[in-house]
Amino acid sequence: MREPVDISVFTPSRTDPEVLEAITVQRLKLLDDTVARVRESILTRHKHHLLFVGPRGSGKTHLITLIENRVKQDAELGDRMHVAWLNEDETCTTPLEFLSRIFRALGKRYPDCYNSEKFEPAYELKPNDAFNFLQNLLKETLAGRTLLILVENLDAIFEALGSKGQKALRAMIQEDPVFCIVSTAQRLVNGLSSRESPFFGFFQTEHLKFLTVQEATELLLKIATHNEQDDVVEFLSAPRGEARVRALHHLSGGNHRVFIVLSQFITRKSIDSLVAPFLKMVDELTPYYQERLRWLPALQRKIVELLCRSTGTVAVKDIAKPLFSTNPTIAKQLAELRQKGYVESSKRGRESLYEVAEPLMRICTEIKENQSPGPLALLVDFLRVWYDEREMTTWLGQCAPNSVSRSYLTSALARNHVEGNLRKHLLKCSLESDLLDLGSPEVVPHAEKWVDLSDELGLAFLEWQKENTEKALGILESVIDTECDATIKAHALRMKGSIFLAERKFDTAFKAYDIALSISDASPSAVVEILLACDALYILSGDSDKMIESCTTAVTTHISSANTVALALCMRGTAYCEQGKHWEQAISDFSQGIDLADQVDYKIVVSALLSFRAFLYEKQNKFDLAIADYNCTLNHTNTTVDYKITAHLALASLAIKTGDWATGVKFIQEGFHLKQRDDARPSKRISLYIDGIVESI
């Protein structure tokens, strides 16, 4: 393994271009296309002018650096061009200043051609004359070459130039078609977007996007590969690594800069080697962000500082209240801050929620407000996302009593204890966002349950819902092959079986469920879930004999678990019912399950047993016994709304059969009232019972 490469966070131009090429993601096609346009501009009279728009941290300088390096390496372009790369934060209020900055940049790169002596006469002239002098000198020195101008933060330059300055600059470029401009901007200011602007439609504009989860993973993989860190590559390529990157992505957004920063830490072998470089980075970042805050008007600065102190997105009203301001005033300021690239917004219904655009900006506010050198929240959160509690606890035992590492680990573990597992929370938020985009809000609770079991199972469920079945099965196979926890392995097999069941591959589904049920160390709750999945399999396949066989095996194999036995008895009894015979065996199974009621944790199983036995009693005209069971169903602890509907409608049917119409109507009204509830979503089996009861009424 080689020494990890040093990647400059804020000045990619200081990083070896070969390294930047090696770790580039997302924009290789854009890079190839841009270089092709620049080549055409240099080799022909057809000039292109390009503008890349994106907020800070979106990789604009990285892209410019690669464009410059590729062009510089092209031997065919050598003497056909000169390159002027302006400083990132150039201040130009007139076209003359802009032109003088170009000369200064050219002088550094081509001192023989653009020496200061040639430039000196301009200082003795009036501004207009000096501008004309430099324009002619530039054209003369270029001698037929194309001038490639690389300029960052063009939006700030255009705002400083104003309309008059922009017109003069456009006239110069149009008069002498020797320029090719490659520029970046944080936003499209009026000078770039207004139809009245001299530069409207002048640039070929490309809006840069933040990294997706997959692209962020690819970036980290490329950095680890370049550093020959095979163990990191293996981890990031596995479902567990993908889950952690996804959670980290939700914490930090797809900001290129944040992932470049974090890439330097995910490979550290000890907590000490993680904290020290992070604190060094904070020392470098804080003055930069504090200076950016000082650029803002007072109220806007207060808004940004409030958002930096907040842990999530914040509504306008929750910003206005602590700042003693009004909603309209704050909304207007937020709109300006969004244009400036300081904040981002998202929607929750009709309400707009805001957060800082750059997560690292939180650091400067935290540093400014904390007098004591306590743990930094961003690093604490990073630890909570990237490392398991087991790993952090192990490290804690190796730390010196008063070390910085101990304070960070203690803080991370304490916050997880109070607030819950941050990685699981962020992973749930990430999956929820994807599922809502898919138009599947109804499966969000299921996704959250899978994440509670295992990060990887949550990912597999998401891929399944996205119809990426092969990837979902691949994740599950990885869990089945490597997971030591028997319960998680059993649940992985359950999801695998459910995927095959959805594809109506009944034999393959049965094999997965069968293997899952053979895992003796799996928790009783896992066995219950697997048996329920088997129930669905047998309903769809219509194979009640196999269902009876499986349930009989479950009753005898897992005899120590009352939960499992009760559920297996319930399912075997319903299988007897579906065969239209063996009603006495079904009643016997239901009765044995009900006898276990005090030992069963899953009360819905007891409700089902009571409801199904009552149904059979009713079929046998044993109305008193049926009424007693239905009333028990209604009064049983944790009876679901679906079984309550069944019981109400069944009691209505029985009351009407015995001539008690008033009681019957009362139960019908109560039953249909329950059926309107949002949580009334009966399964296929319960729906059949309800429909049968309604039909009898």
Side-chain angles (χ1 to χ4, degrees):
M1 182 180 75
R2 72 173 70 172
E3 188 68 23
V5 67
D6 183 24
I7 303 172
S8 178
V9 175
F10 291 101
T11 315
S13 54
R14 293 181 180 177
T15 304
D16 184 345
E18 289 187 9
V19 174
L20 295 182
E21 285 277 4
I23 67 172
T24 297
V25 298
Q26 188 192 60
R27 294 174 186 154
L28 288 170
K29 186 175 183 303
L30 175 63
L31 179 60
D32 291 340
D33 181 66
T34 301
V35 172
R37 292 173 187 271
V38 171
R39 288 188 89 259
E40 184 178 14
S41 298
I42 294 169
L43 298 174
T44 71
R45 293 183 59 82
H46 186 196
K47 306 302 181 188
H48 295 275
H49 304 285
L50 304 141
L51 173 64
F52 302 105
V53 182
R56 286 187 179 271
S58 57
K60 299 186 297 296
T61 304
H62 184 132
L63 183 61
I64 290 287
T65 302
L66 290 180
I67 293 168
E68 187 270 346
N69 184 64
R70 286 196 182 186
V71 170
K72 183 175 62 178
Q73 298 298 324
D74 192 330
E76 188 179 357
L77 306 181
D79 198 45
R80 304 286 296 273
M81 67 170 183
H82 280 171
V83 181
W85 190 347
L86 307 190
N87 291 336
E88 183 176 355
D89 293 309
E90 292 282 8
T91 303
C92 305
T93 57
T94 67
L96 175 59
E97 287 182 338
F98 185 74
L99 198 52
S100 66
R101 297 293 187 273
I102 291 174
F103 265 91
R104 204 168 290 169
L106 288 167
K108 292 178 182 178
R109 190 172 294 226
Y110 313 99
D112 294 337
C113 296
Y114 300 91
N115 58 61
S116 57
E117 293 180 2
K118 292 183 178 180
F119 186 84
E120 287 292 334
Y123 293 122
E124 306 299 327
L125 302 174
K126 293 180 180 181
N128 284 342
D129 293 336
F131 180 75
N132 292 330
F133 172 79
L134 290 180
Q135 188 176 352
N136 291 329
L137 177 60
L138 180 61
K139 185 176 180 180
E140 177 186 327
T141 311
L142 284 171
R145 301 181 184 90
T146 295
L147 175 60
L148 172 60
I149 303 175
L150 305 174
V151 53
E152 300 183 71
N153 297 323
L154 187 66
D155 47 335
I157 292 175
F158 271 29
E159 283 187 321
L161 286 174
S163 179
K164 183 178 179 181
Q166 292 169 29
K167 287 178 182 177
L169 187 60
R170 175 64 191 266
M172 179 190 78
I173 296 171
Q174 198 156 336
E175 181 180 338
D176 295 317
V178 296
F179 301 98
C180 170
I181 302 174
V182 178
S183 57
T184 70
Q186 292 185 50
R187 65 198 191 284
L188 284 177
V189 294
N190 284 339
L192 295 167
S193 61
S194 172
R195 290 186 175 276
E196 288 73 36
S197 164
F199 282 92
F200 179 75
F202 179 79
F203 291 97
Q204 299 169 44
T205 303
E206 183 78 29
H207 291 268
L208 301 181
K209 298 177 181 178
F210 278 141
L211 298 170
T212 63
V213 173
Q214 290 74 22
E215 290 162 348
T217 305
E218 184 185 357
L219 173 62
L220 296 176
L221 275 169
K222 284 194 170 187
I223 293 173
T225 300
H226 186 79
N227 291 334
E228 298 177 356
Q229 296 166 316
D230 296 339
D231 55 336
V232 179
V233 171
E234 182 179 358
F235 178 77
L236 290 170
S237 302
R240 183 163 298 180
E242 182 181 346
R244 296 191 186 187
V245 175
R246 177 176 281 275
L248 200 59
H249 184 274
H250 202 81
L251 173 69
S252 61
N255 188 296
H256 289 68
R257 180 171 294 158
V258 172
F259 275 97
I260 290 291
V261 169
L262 295 179
S263 72
Q264 300 176 47
F265 305 135
I266 63 173
T267 60
R268 303 291 171 176
K269 297 299 183 184
S270 72
I271 193 67
D272 291 311
S273 61
L274 168 65
V275 172
F278 195 94
L279 294 177
K280 181 176 181 293
M281 181 197 73
V282 168
D283 288 338
E284 296 173 356
L285 291 183
T286 301
Y288 167 79
Y289 281 120
Q290 287 179 338
E291 183 62 30
R292 285 195 61 202
L293 282 175
R294 279 192 283 269
W295 295 344
L296 295 173
L299 181 55
Q300 292 185 7
R301 185 164 63 249
K302 292 177 184 177
I303 292 171
V304 173
E305 288 173 347
L306 184 147
L307 291 175
C308 285
R309 292 192 296 269
S310 303
T311 55
T313 55
V314 187
V316 173
K317 62 183 179 182
D318 295 324
I319 300 172
K321 185 177 179 180
L323 296 181
F324 301 98
S325 187
T326 64
N327 289 1
T329 299
I330 296 300
K332 180 180 178 183
Q333 298 300 318
L334 284 166
E336 292 183 14
L337 285 168
R338 188 179 177 190
Q339 280 191 334
K340 294 176 181 178
Y342 282 80
V343 304
E344 291 180 339
S345 67
S346 57
K347 285 287 187 181
R348 184 177 62 193
R350 296 183 178 181
E351 189 175 40
S352 293
L353 303 175
Y354 293 87
E355 61 184 331
V356 289
E358 294 184 66
L360 294 177
M361 183 175 276
R362 298 182 190 275
I363 293 174
C364 72
T365 301
E366 190 178 354
I367 290 291
K368 186 170 68 173
E369 294 187 352
N370 288 343
Q371 300 297 324
S372 59
L376 293 170
L378 185 64
L379 179 51
V380 171
D381 284 346
F382 169 72
L383 292 173
R384 294 171 67 198
V385 169
W386 197 255
Y387 299 102
D388 284 330
E389 291 198 12
R390 176 180 50 80
E391 294 172 305
M392 291 191 286
T393 302
T394 300
W395 279 340
L396 187 62
Q398 301 169 357
C399 291
N402 297 317
S403 65
V404 173
S405 299
R406 173 170 285 275
S407 68
Y408 272 91
L409 288 166
T410 302
S411 180
L413 289 167
R415 286 188 63 182
N416 264 2
H417 179 72
V418 173
E419 301 172 12
N421 188 302
L422 179 62
R423 181 171 72 247
K424 287 194 178 296
H425 169 70
L426 293 173
L427 192 55
K428 288 177 183 178
C429 292
S430 177
L431 265 59
E432 178 183 4
S433 177
D434 279 18
L435 291 170
L436 291 177
D437 289 343
L438 288 172
S440 305
E442 72 281 357
V443 300
V444 169
H446 299 289
E448 292 177 345
K449 288 179 181 178
W450 285 112
V451 172
D452 285 333
L453 289 168
S454 157
D455 295 352
E456 297 94 313
L457 293 183
L459 279 184
F461 182 78
L462 175 64
E463 296 300 336
W464 179 21
Q465 297 307 306
K466 291 166 71 174
E467 299 183 359
N468 296 333
T469 306
E470 286 190 16
K471 183 170 183 181
L473 290 171
I475 294 172
L476 293 173
E477 288 297 340
S478 173
V479 173
I480 294 165
D481 291 342
T482 62
E483 183 59 61
C484 297
D485 188 295
T487 296
I488 294 176
K489 185 175 292 191
H491 280 298
L493 284 159
R494 172 167 69 92
M495 189 190 299
K496 181 180 176 182
S498 298
I499 291 174
F500 289 129
L501 178 60
E503 296 179 343
R504 305 190 73 80
K505 297 177 180 177
F506 298 134
D507 289 342
T508 315
F510 177 77
K511 287 178 183 177
Y513 293 146
D514 199 39
I515 295 171
L517 287 171
S518 70
I519 300 176
S520 58
D521 294 336
S523 68
S525 62
V527 176
V528 168
E529 295 287 353
I530 296 162
L531 286 170
L532 285 171
C534 288
D535 191 15
L537 169 60
Y538 298 132
I539 290 171
L540 287 174
S541 64
D543 194 341
S544 57
D545 287 333
K546 189 171 283 187
M547 182 173 177
I548 291 169
E549 179 186 342
S550 175
C551 289
T552 301
T553 302
V555 168
T556 56
T557 303
H558 298 87
I559 193 67
S560 60
S561 169
N563 293 304
T564 305
V565 172
L567 180 59
L569 288 167
C570 181
M571 291 168 55
R572 189 170 69 180
T574 58
Y576 286 138
C577 290
E578 286 182 356
Q579 290 183 341
K581 53 185 178 180
H582 308 307
W583 283 10
E584 291 304 324
Q585 290 101 316
I587 289 176
S588 174
D589 277 354
F590 295 150
S591 297
Q592 289 180 60
I594 292 167
D595 289 341
L596 296 171
D598 293 339
Q599 305 172 51
V600 174
D601 297 326
Y602 309 104
K603 303 304 181 184
I604 186 175
V605 176
V606 180
S607 298
L609 288 162
L610 285 165
S611 184
F612 294 161
R613 188 175 72 174
F615 183 77
L616 290 184
Y617 282 147
E618 185 181 352
K619 286 284 187 183
Q620 294 177 329
N621 295 323
K622 297 176 181 179
F623 297 144
D624 289 343
L625 293 175
I627 289 170
D629 275 356
Y630 282 132
N631 279 320
C632 284
T633 303
L634 286 177
N635 297 324
H636 195 270
T637 307
N638 296 332
T639 296
T640 66
V641 65
D642 306 321
Y643 285 112
K644 286 184 178 180
I645 294 170
T646 306
H648 274 99
L649 296 180
L651 287 168
S653 172
L654 290 167
I656 291 171
K657 285 179 180 178
T658 58
D660 188 353
W661 284 88
T663 302
V665 170
K666 171 177 165 286
F667 278 124
I668 289 173
Q669 289 173 335
E670 291 175 353
F672 277 97
H673 176 72
L674 287 172
K675 204 170 182 182
Q676 304 308 310
R677 283 175 41 171
D678 291 339
D679 56 344
R681 295 174 181 169
S683 68
K684 181 178 179 182
R685 187 185 298 284
I686 299 172
S687 294
L688 291 173
Y689 285 126
I690 292 175
D691 292 343
I693 293 166
V694 171
E695 190 175 320
S696 70
I697 295 174

